[in-house]
Amino acid sequence: MKSIINIAQVRIISDYLVITVGKKEYRFRVRELSPRLAVASDEEINDFEVSPSGYGIHWRKIDEDISLEALLENKSV
């Protein structure tokens, strides 16, 4: 399945999840995204992968998934 979201980069900076899509950067407060992410250790929060389809991010150690499509649809530009 080919991704419709062209994710260039995903980073955790301070208490923000920072996603670069194309040439735009989006920032989301971690504590507003997920209670699990909000209490995760640095090791847990930095151990993530973008799904092969590009539709989400998965944190294996805390068993958390976030849909990028939903995040970007609800983000004010």
Side-chain angles (χ1 to χ4, degrees):
M1 174 184 301
K2 186 176 179 185
S3 171
I4 60 169
I5 301 172
N6 183 16
I7 301 165
Q9 189 175 41
V10 176
R11 299 171 285 155
I12 304 294
I13 300 174
S14 191
D15 64 339
Y16 287 90
L17 172 66
V18 181
I19 303 169
T20 305
V21 179
K23 294 184 180 185
K24 285 191 164 189
E25 184 173 275
Y26 300 91
R27 291 176 177 257
F28 305 91
R29 284 191 173 273
V30 170
R31 68 174 181 240
E32 293 173 5
L33 293 177
S34 160
R36 288 181 182 174
L37 289 176
V39 297
S41 69
D42 287 343
E43 179 183 345
E44 291 168 330
I45 205 166
N46 285 299
D47 182 19
F48 62 85
E49 65 183 6
V50 176
S51 67
S53 65
Y55 286 104
I57 303 171
H58 176 69
W59 285 265
R60 182 176 46 93
K61 291 182 178 178
I62 59 172
D63 192 28
E64 181 68 292
D65 296 283
I66 293 182
S67 164
L68 294 176
E69 187 174 28
L71 283 177
L72 297 178
E73 283 179 2
N74 294 313
K75 181 71 175 171
S76 300
V77 180

